[in-house]
Amino acid sequence: MAFTFQARRIRKSFGGVEVLHGVDLDASAGEVLALLGENGAGKSTLVKIMAGDYQADSGRLIVDGETHSVLTPRQARALGVAIISQEFQDALPLTVAENISLGSLPSRGGMVRWRTVRRRAVDILDELEVEIDPGAVVGSLRVGERQLVEIARALSSSARLLILDEPTAALSHHEAEVLFEFIRRLRSQGVAVVYITHRLDEVGLIADKVHVLRDGETALLADVAETGRRDMIEAMIGRKSEELGRPPPIGRDLGAEPALRWTDAGASGRFEGVSLKVMPGEVVAVYGKLGSGAMELAETAFGIRPLDSGRLELDQADIVYSDPAGAVKNGVGYLPADRKAGGALMVRSVAENTAIASWPVLAKFFGQWLTARVENKAYRRWHDRLSIRSRNDPRQIMRTLSGGNQQKVLISRWLERRSRVLVMVEPTRGVDVGARRDIYEALRELAEEGIAVLVVTSDYEEAVQVADRCLVVAKGRPVEKLTGEDITMSRLLEASGG
């Protein structure tokens, strides 16, 4: 009998607030189920209940016909359920083979059987057609390879249901294609896959069925072949959705001189020959696939990466700073692609996250004394302005917010600092549809107030929806400049080699 996993009438509350209101979900062998929904819709809570990390308040989990009221993580693993989260659970100093056997090292008489460890790794990698050296240290692998090792470890323990949470968020285009082919092989081998994503284009590429959650309830369950993109968006946001909209034409004077300007610029073999200007009052996008050099271009504006050739000017003067601290002092704000590792203080309050770049300005007594009251006022200045969805408590811990609201707090950091230039790399990566809309509207409003906004993105939809002008880069070279209504998905994909 083919493997089946059924969740029935699952309810779950946190702090007296119910986040799942009797949800059903079905996962079957040889099928990929795309699980969609805005942040806060209940996706992560539901799959954590399936994997035993959380326990439901009520409902049933039925695995191959056997009913369970709750599962522990050990029970779930024994039943063949494995979850691969965005934060890898690998051990970087260990080898691929050791990671695959992590938690279940074969031993005899208290001694690890290392030949068996290697043979197990070779067998599972061969079976999955993955070309990775079992003896390679995991810390030396690319992100996509580390992800495949994580999946191999799960499957070496006889996983029959694989739950993938935003698996392509940090992958290059090529690595994502490798992962998709890998998932297709797993499907053909009878593995059930639940695939959580915010990228709607991936649904058509990889999934058989789509399940949309909204506010803790099922909003859509359908075959992918019979479901349009608009149907999925409308199910997620609960209202009618138009096709991709363009920002209105700029109806104001931008001034005579750019805030930022690169002239025939190059850096460390990452990009070369780039000439680009960003005017106060406009949003400029640099569009390119990961590895195109677009992200490295943004890093030069914030003093993270020096130029090897050409010029970079801020307010018509050659940039004199060589580190982020200097960039901040000169009015440049920066949001990295990985907000957790490079931007947000996840265990500190939202008020501290807003105020940190402005401490020298906000602090009293010669910049040595900063009170919580001052930080709280700084946060409240931007809470409503940026539509930050939280408890409206300045002392709320940053990690308790959804990804989209964390991003808004980081934007507030640079607004509080009164930055004249805002550089954002992948600003809506891992962010749901509703939060994307809020962020785009915020960027447009900032531009209207005279801030120069540069958005570096590998998401063609993002470039279409937010940019007044767009530079397309591929393999480290500028390939096309687009303006206004010429910024379309087809033009971007064609120019970038898509």
Side-chain angles (χ1 to χ4, degrees), residues 192-221:
V193 179
V194 174
Y195 188 94
I196 300 175
T197 184
H198 285 303
R199 293 190 57 89
L200 301 185
D201 55 335
E202 294 180 351
V203 176
L205 291 173
I206 197 64
D208 303 295
K209 293 183 178 179
V210 57
H211 189 149
V212 178
L213 292 181
R214 185 177 72 246
D215 296 330
E217 297 180 328
T218 296
L220 175 69
L221 178 60

Side-chain angles (χ1 to χ4, degrees), residues 327-397:
V328 174
K329 290 179 181 178
N330 281 273
V332 180
Y334 180 79
L335 275 75
D338 187 344
R339 58 179 170 270
K340 290 183 179 180
L345 306 174
M346 301 301 291
V347 298
R348 309 301 294 184
S349 70
V350 290
E352 289 171 299
N353 272 273
T354 295
I356 184 172
S358 303
W359 280 355
V361 179
L362 297 175
K364 298 181 179 179
F365 303 112
F366 306 102
Q368 296 181 7
W369 188 261
L370 182 67
T371 65
R373 180 172 173 271
V374 172
E375 291 178 333
N376 294 351
K377 287 179 65 176
Y379 174 72
R380 287 198 171 101
R381 273 192 282 273
W382 306 108
H383 178 273
D384 292 339
R385 164 82 183 276
L386 295 176
S387 301
I388 300 172
R389 294 182 176 88
S390 67
R391 297 196 298 263
N392 198 12
D393 175 7
R395 310 322 292 181
Q396 183 175 354
I397 300 303

Side-chain angles (χ1 to χ4, degrees), residues 46 95 125 151 172 268 284 299 318 346 383:
L46 178 58
T95 66
L125 293 173
I151 296 172
S172 68
S268 305
V284 174
E299 291 175 344
D318 286 344
M346 301 301 291
H383 178 273

Side-chain angles (χ1 to χ4, degrees), residues 90-95 98-99 137-139:
D90 51 6
L92 298 183
L94 302 183
T95 66
E98 290 165 340
N99 269 272
V137 174
V138 166

Side-chain angles (χ1 to χ4, degrees), residues 460 464 480 482 486-496 498:
Y460 48 78
V464 171
E480 189 161 4
L482 302 172
D486 289 335
I487 306 174
T488 65
M489 289 188 289
S490 59
R491 290 287 296 274
L492 293 172
L493 290 172
E494 181 180 3
S496 65

